[in-house]
Amino acid sequence: MSQAESSIAQAPQHRGVINRYRGWLPGIPDHAVATLGEGGTPLIEAPCVSEKVGASVHLKFEGLNPTASFKDRGMTVALSRAAARGERLSICASTGNTAASAAAYSARAGMTCFVVVPVGKIAMGKAVQILAHGARVVQIEGNFDDALRISQRAAAEMDDVALVNSVNPDRIEGQKTSAFEISESLGAPPEALALPVGNAGNITAYWRGFSEWRDAGYSEHAPRMLGFQAAGSAPLVEGHDVQNPETVASAIRIGAPASKEGALAAMRESGGLIESVTDEEILDAQLLLAREEGVFCEPASAAGVAGLLKLAGEGRAPTGTVVSVLTGHGLKDPDVILARNRLPDPLPADFDTVADYMRREGG
C-alpha cells in the first residue's frame, strides 16, 4: 500500500453529530437516527481578517454541512427524536435555511415536511432546496414571526406533528456540537466567538456547548459570546420586538427572536455583547471573505466578521484566538451577489484579444 493509500485508509469517517457526540445528546435509538453526515466542518485560518482585527481569527465554515448551513446539526437530532416518537409530519417557520434543512432531514427520516414561509422573503437558493426535497411549501402574507406562531399552533393542536424550529430544545442540543468541534480543533475554546444573531438559537446553543465543555473539565474557560444583528432587524439591541424587520441578510431578518432569553443569558454569563451592523458593513465583510480569504458565505453569515471589523475600528476588538461562525454557504443567496456584479460583455474568440484583456485586468 502506498503512503497516499495508507493515509486515506486511516482517515476517520465523519458519521454525523449524533454518532460522534452521542454521550452529550438526548437519547436516540439507533433505528431512528436520521443523518446525512453533518458536522466535521472546517476551521479555517483567516490571515487577512486577523490583520485587520488584531487577533488570530479563524472561520468555522458551517456552509459545508449537507444542506449548506449550520441548521443540519440541530435538525438531525430534532428529526431523529421525532421519528423515535413515531411522528409522521414535521413543520417549521423559516426564512430559508431551517426549511431547507428540515426538508432534507424529513425526507431522510421518512416524514412529510411542511414549511411556512413569508411570501417573497426567501432566497432563491434555499427555495430550490426546499422544492427539491419534496417539502410542502406554505407561503403566507406575513413575516417570520407570523409563520412561527402558525407553526407552533399546528404542532400543539394537530396529531403527529413535530415542530422543528429552534424553540424545539433538540435543535439546540444538536447545534451545540459545533462548540465541541471548535474546542477540539484548537485544543481549547477560543477567547471569543463571533456570530450572527437572528432567531437567537445558535448563540444559545454555542454557549451551552462551551459551558458544558468547561463544566466537564475539558477546559478552564469559555469564550466571550459576540453576537451581531442586522441594523434593520435588531430587536435584542433595541430592547423590543421589531414589527417589520428589513435587511439584505435574509437569514437573520427576524423581529421577535424565539430564543431571546437564551441569547441574553449567553451575553451576560460570558461577559460578551450583542450589537448591530449595517447592511453595508455585512456586504463589505462578505466581499472581503470571498476575495481575500477565498471563503464564500451568505450575507447573514458575514455579520460576525462585520462585527469584528466594527469593533476593531472602535478600538474594542477581542484579542487572542477568535472564531467567527459562518452559518451558511454563499450559494444559498446568489441574488445578492448578482445584484452587485454582472458578467462582462463577450470578447472575440481570439488569443491576442484575450491576452490584452488579461494584461489590462491582471494588475
Side-chain angles (χ1 to χ4, degrees):
M1 181 182 294
S2 69
Q3 185 175 353
E5 290 171 329
S6 176
S7 175
I8 293 171
Q10 294 173 18
Q13 296 298 310
H14 195 81
R15 299 174 296 147
V17 299
I18 293 175
N19 289 318
R20 175 67 181 85
Y21 296 107
R22 190 180 286 272
W24 298 82
L25 299 172
I28 302 169
D30 288 343
H31 71 84
V33 174
T35 180
L36 295 169
E38 62 291 322
T41 55
L43 191 64
I44 305 168
E45 293 185 19
C48 179
V49 177
S50 295
E51 183 178 356
K52 292 178 181 294
V53 173
S56 177
V57 179
H58 295 68
L59 310 170
K60 182 62 169 169
F61 193 20
E62 290 289 271
L64 295 185
N65 274 298
T67 75
S69 89
F70 75 98
K71 305 285 187 176
D72 295 349
R73 292 180 182 273
M75 209 59 71
T76 183
V77 177
L79 267 300
S80 296
R81 295 265 288 172
R85 293 190 298 268
E87 290 169 327
R88 300 178 300 104
L89 310 177
S90 66
I91 190 169
C92 69
S94 183
T95 55
N97 281 332
T98 294
S101 185
Y105 281 84
S106 293
R108 188 71 175 179
M111 299 168 65
T112 301
C113 179
F114 290 84
V115 299
V116 186
V117 301
V119 64
K121 299 295 185 179
I122 183 169
M124 185 55 64
K126 302 168 189 179
V128 169
Q129 286 182 284
I130 298 163
L131 296 172
H133 290 302
R136 277 60 167 178
V137 178
V138 182
Q139 292 196 99
I140 63 164
E141 296 176 345
N143 59 26
F144 171 85
D145 306 306
D146 298 319
L148 181 57
R149 283 191 291 271
I150 292 169
S151 299
Q152 288 175 308
R153 186 170 178 180
E157 297 184 12
M158 299 176 67
D159 294 332
D160 297 329
V161 179
L163 178 68
V164 293
N165 280 101
S166 59
V167 292
N168 181 333
D170 293 330
R171 282 277 311 279
I172 304 299
E173 288 294 304
Q175 287 167 210
K176 75 183 182 185
T177 60
S178 187
F180 304 155
E181 288 182 12
I182 290 170
S183 300
E184 289 170 335
S185 295
L186 294 174
E191 276 64 53
L193 184 96
L195 74 171
V197 176
N199 212 27
N202 213 24
I203 189 171
T204 302
Y206 271 98
W207 180 240
R208 181 177 300 179
F210 284 120
S211 297
E212 290 182 4
W213 193 257
R214 178 195 58 199
D215 294 346
Y218 290 110
S219 68
E220 296 181 354
H221 76 281
R224 292 180 64 214
M225 305 300 290
L226 311 178
F228 297 96
Q229 299 195 289
S233 180
L236 298 183
V237 178
E238 296 182 19
H240 58 81
D241 291 349
V242 176
Q243 289 298 111
N244 296 297
E246 283 299 335
T247 172
V248 70
S250 61
I252 54 175
R253 190 191 292 131
I254 296 171
S259 298
K260 169 184 175 180
E261 295 306 322
L264 294 176
M267 177 189 69
R268 289 192 303 267
E269 293 170 14
S270 72
L273 55 81
I274 297 178
E275 298 188 6
S276 64
V277 285
T278 66
D279 279 3
E280 183 179 5
E281 289 170 328
I282 288 172
L283 293 176
D284 286 347
Q286 182 193 30
L287 196 63
L288 171 70
L289 288 168
R291 297 191 175 179
E292 301 295 334
E293 304 290 8
V295 180
F296 182 32
C297 66
E298 67 173 314
S301 297
V305 170
L308 290 175
L309 295 172
K310 177 181 177 180
L311 294 180
E314 297 172 354
R316 299 189 292 135
T319 57
T321 300
V322 179
V323 171
S324 186
V325 181
L326 307 184
T327 48
H329 199 285
L331 292 176
K332 286 280 192 170
D333 197 351
D335 292 344
V336 171
I337 295 296
L338 293 174
R340 304 178 81 197
N341 300 271
R342 69 176 184 86
L343 290 173
D345 295 331
L347 298 175
D350 173 76
F351 171 77
D352 290 336
T353 302
V354 172
D356 287 344
Y357 174 80
M358 291 175 67
R359 294 186 187 99
R360 288 197 310 272
E361 299 294 324

